[in-house]
């Protein structure tokens, strides 16, 4: 499915630059940020110029290409591999929770290792080309993954449905049309009438700034509310289903996603509203048995104490600011992946669905 | 119990003015707003310069005195009564949910009617004095009510407790030391060590701006988080109890309070955290059998789309902005009133506790 804008794009050949739609500036301005070095990309990731687990993965893959871009050609192949590994280690430090970052970096380092193993005398140029090709493959797969999630998930969006979503798991969070929003875009393209309720998603307001922006462009009816209003919406029977993305899914289906998702899952169970997680197979981390093993990023106090540059809270107080929480798999109706729908997710159903990736 | 500041004060005699600590300016500036007319008070109430159900009640009582202040002396007594009734009707239009407003206005109109019934030839001056005396009584009762709630509620705050609160039901919401915060102030004065986690309470951030401000002055440890982080706090066993205020309590204990309270009550039940409502008897509306009858105020879109004067969301979207939600009485561990604690609140236990007010 086509999208109205590009979330990120590689411009040029192996010596090109990575251009990111700067999400810190939305919805006010639509500006692309050019990253020429891994350091610039690192800064873009930690400040959320690019965010969303799949988009971070794709961007990190191109980050390896940016590191190689700086190498003189020819360089010793071992030197190039060292740069690739060092850059992967470096970019892996940017954010701890979304596993797609590590997944994409692993694919890039594996590619470099495989190319060198197959041809130890390959030129730096050949290695760069192989790495750029792999990054582009990851990007293409990401777009296709979004389309597939849309196809598998649209069955959960009846005509005239009202869907609640949290944060932004849309086109801005992926190279494609999104994860949680993909079924909505797909259902909309099929002619279904849909209303989307968006949690504003404090502290950084990705719902108000980003989901609202992309839905406003799509022509889908969109209603914004504060995070603490979702229970009132569900109680008044305004919500038919909840759809969210994911940053890391443990082997048993426990799901780390943007802070606030946990509350929604418990409220959904209380009010009998189906609760769906949409995520590609790259978001699963089968090395972690359950959600207790998922590292949770805690971010700076001023994200909470300040809004739009204005201090809202007095100075003498503490702040609790985790960026993610972990939803229990038992509270998830189904996980929608590019391979199909995992109903009642647990270790067995997940392994069964993902077995093509993890035999 | 003494408080460090006055939330509102009547300055002068029957021709005095009502001074309100302007809560729109906190925590940045501590400024008093002088109201000389009911119209100025109406504006102060709807823009939340004064807020909190008990404080609105006290302010509205003085609002009747402001209306009489404008009458020439002598005026026909019937004319004064007409002004009192008209002003009560007018101020009752300011906000629909908090019942203390109507309760206080009823007391003032009843006082005027009783004075005139007892002495049909009384002077305007005498009537004004009786009304000012009644407003001052309401204020004094409010202070005592807060102290009593503190005494009855402190038993639920063990030493080293971590308490979660929502919005501001503190000294700023009453003439006294607050409702939900009264047990905390009382326990603190007894030497107990307490940590208070405060929901910032979108959209108007009363937790971040007001509760944080008053707790910072009290020396009680205070930690701020976004509303959507409370589930994460409860899941990590950081919360021993939740204490909130109320804007209107139906006969069966269903409780309207600041939007977001409903979610907290459901999360509290899920995680086994006790959930307490603290409110004076004036917050009960026994004419309404259950929460479905409580009118819920919906406020302006720009409270959600804008923060600190900056537009955060794009223009083409809808907004859902109810100011209150209704918590089911079954999810309330106890209601703490000035008359004592109502455990497992329901129509019978509530009637039993309040029978001195409603024989």
């Amino acid at each position: 499915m086509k999208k109205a804008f590009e979330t990120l794009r590689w411009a040029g050949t192996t010596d090109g630059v990575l251009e990111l739609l700067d999400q810190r500036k939305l919805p006010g301005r639509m500006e692309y940020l050019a990253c020429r070095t891994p350091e610039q990309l690192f800064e873009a990731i930690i400040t959320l110029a690019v965010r969303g687990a799949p988009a971070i993965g794709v961007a990190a893959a191109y980050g390896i290409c940016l590191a190689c871009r700086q190498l003189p050609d020819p360089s010793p192949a071992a030197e190039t591999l060292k740069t690739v590994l060092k850059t992967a280690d470096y970019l892996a430090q940017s954010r701890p929770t979304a596993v797609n970052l590590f997944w994409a970096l692993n694919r890039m380092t594996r590619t470099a290792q495989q190319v060198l193993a197959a041809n130890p005398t390959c030129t730096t140029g050949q290695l760069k080309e192989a790495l750029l090709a792999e990054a582009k493959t990851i990007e293409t797969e990401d777009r296709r993954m979004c389309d597939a999630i849309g196809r598998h998930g649209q069955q959960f969006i009846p005509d005239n449905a009202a869907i609640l979503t949290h944060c932004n798991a849309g086109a801005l969070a992926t190279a494609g049309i999104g994860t949680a929003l993909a079924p909505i875009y797909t259902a909309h393209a099929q002619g279904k009438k849909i209303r989307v309720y968006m949690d504003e998603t404090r502290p950084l307001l990705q719902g108000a700034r980003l989901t609202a922006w992309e839905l406003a462009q799509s022509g889908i009816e969109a209603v914004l509310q504060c995070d603490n209003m979702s229970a009132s919406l569900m109680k008044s029977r305004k919500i038919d289903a909840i759809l969210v993305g994911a940053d890391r899914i443990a082997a048993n289906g426990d799901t780390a996603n943007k802070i606030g998702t946990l509350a929604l899952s418990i409220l959904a169970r209380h009010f009998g509203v189906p609760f769906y997680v949409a995520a590609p197979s790259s978001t699963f981390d089968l090395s972690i048995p359950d959600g207790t093993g998922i590292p949770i990023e805690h971010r700076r106090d001023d994200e909470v104490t300040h809004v739009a540059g204005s201090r809202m809270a007095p100075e003498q107080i503490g702040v609790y600011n985790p960026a993610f929480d972990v939803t229990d798999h038992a509270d998830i109706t189904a996980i929608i992946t590019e391979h199909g729908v995992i109903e009642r997710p647990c270790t067995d159903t997940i392994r069964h669905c993902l077995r093509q990736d993890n035999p």
Side-chain angles (χ1 to χ4, degrees), chain A:
Chain A
M1 224 173 139
K2 293 267 289 182
K3 57 197 261 188
F5 55 86
E6 284 177 294
T7 301
L8 42 70
R9 60 191 178 209
W10 181 264
T13 59
T14 52
D15 291 332
V17 299
L18 177 62
E19 295 177 340
L20 304 172
L21 178 51
D22 191 341
Q23 302 193 27
R24 299 167 302 189
K25 310 253 169 97
L26 290 173
R29 274 177 296 156
M30 193 172 165
E31 253 174 43
Y32 282 85
L33 174 72
C35 292
R36 290 185 169 78
T37 66
E39 289 74 20
Q40 289 172 337
L41 176 60
F42 187 98
E43 178 73 12
I45 292 172
I46 63 169
T47 60
L48 313 192
V50 61
R51 29 67 52 205
I56 291 173
V58 175
Y62 283 119
I64 300 294
C65 302
L66 292 179
C68 296
R69 179 180 178 272
Q70 299 168 301
L71 286 170
D73 191 1
S75 305
E79 190 64 31
T80 308
L81 180 61
K82 214 169 116 190
T83 297
V84 167
L85 295 173
K86 217 182 80 190
T87 305
D89 279 350
Y90 168 69
L91 289 174
Q93 302 300 316
S94 58
R95 298 194 69 189
T97 303
V99 77
N100 315 59
L101 170 65
F102 314 114
W103 170 87
L105 291 171
N106 280 344
R107 274 186 62 165
M108 295 300 283
T109 54
R110 213 164 53 219
T111 297
Q113 285 161 335
Q114 283 167 350
V115 167
L116 278 173
N119 178 11
T121 60
C122 80
T123 65
T124 307
Q126 285 171 322
L127 194 51
K128 282 184 187 177
E129 269 170 32
L131 287 167
L132 183 58
E134 182 68 4
K136 289 193 168 176
T137 300
I138 290 174
E139 181 185 345
T140 304
E141 285 176 10
D142 192 67
R143 291 179 196 272
R144 288 194 190 132
M145 166 279 286
C146 292
D147 289 345
I149 287 177
R151 281 195 307 276
H152 293 303
Q154 55 76 26
Q155 62 183 299
F156 302 119
I157 320 267
D159 196 18
N160 292 308
I163 307 294
L164 174 63
T165 190
H166 189 68
C167 194
N168 174 269
L172 286 166
T174 61
I177 58 167
T179 52
L181 295 193
I184 293 169
Y185 286 128
T186 306
H188 176 68
Q190 292 166 340
K192 293 179 192 166
K193 195 170 164 347
I194 305 159
R195 172 185 289 177
V196 179
Y197 285 94
M198 308 167 290
D199 276 349
E200 63 175 7
T201 319
R202 281 281 288 151
L204 294 177
L205 299 169
Q206 290 91 337
R209 296 189 303 106
L210 306 181
T211 301
W213 180 81
E214 64 169 275
L215 288 179
Q217 297 191 36
S218 73
I220 297 170
E221 185 184 355
V223 178
L224 179 66
Q225 72 279 343
C226 301
D227 302 299
N228 64 21
M229 296 170 184
S230 300
S232 165
L233 276 171
M234 285 185 239
K235 190 178 183 185
S236 55
R237 305 287 159 208
K238 287 197 169 76
I239 304 297
D240 296 303
I242 298 176
L243 249 94
V244 299
D247 289 84
R248 191 183 305 209
I249 305 176
N252 73 340
D254 289 353
T255 295
N257 190 45
K258 177 55 59 194
I259 189 76
T261 305
L262 169 63
L264 287 181
S265 70
I266 295 165
L267 295 169
R269 170 180 285 268
H270 180 86
F271 289 112
V273 174
F275 182 89
Y276 301 105
V277 170
S281 53
S282 53
T283 305
F284 289 80
D285 181 353
L286 302 184
S287 75
I288 292 183
D290 62 47
T292 57
I294 301 178
I296 299 296
E297 175 183 10
H298 284 252
R299 293 180 60 89
R300 290 203 324 265
D301 291 1
D302 64 359
E303 290 187 352
V304 175
T305 55
H306 291 63
V307 185
S310 297
R311 174 174 272 283
M312 306 307 292
E315 297 199 7
Q316 311 91 320
I317 51 156
V319 170
Y320 179 69
N321 185 23
F324 306 93
D325 54 27
V326 178
T327 293
D328 196 286
H329 67 282
D331 290 328
I332 299 170
T333 310
I335 301 177
I336 307 162
T337 79
E338 75 273 32
H339 300 312
V341 174
I342 308 172
E343 312 242 20
R344 286 182 295 283
C346 65
T347 307
D348 283 348
T349 54
I350 288 169
R351 196 171 290 149
H352 181 78
C353 178
L354 301 185
R355 86 194 139 191
Q356 57 209 89
D357 294 324
N358 302 278

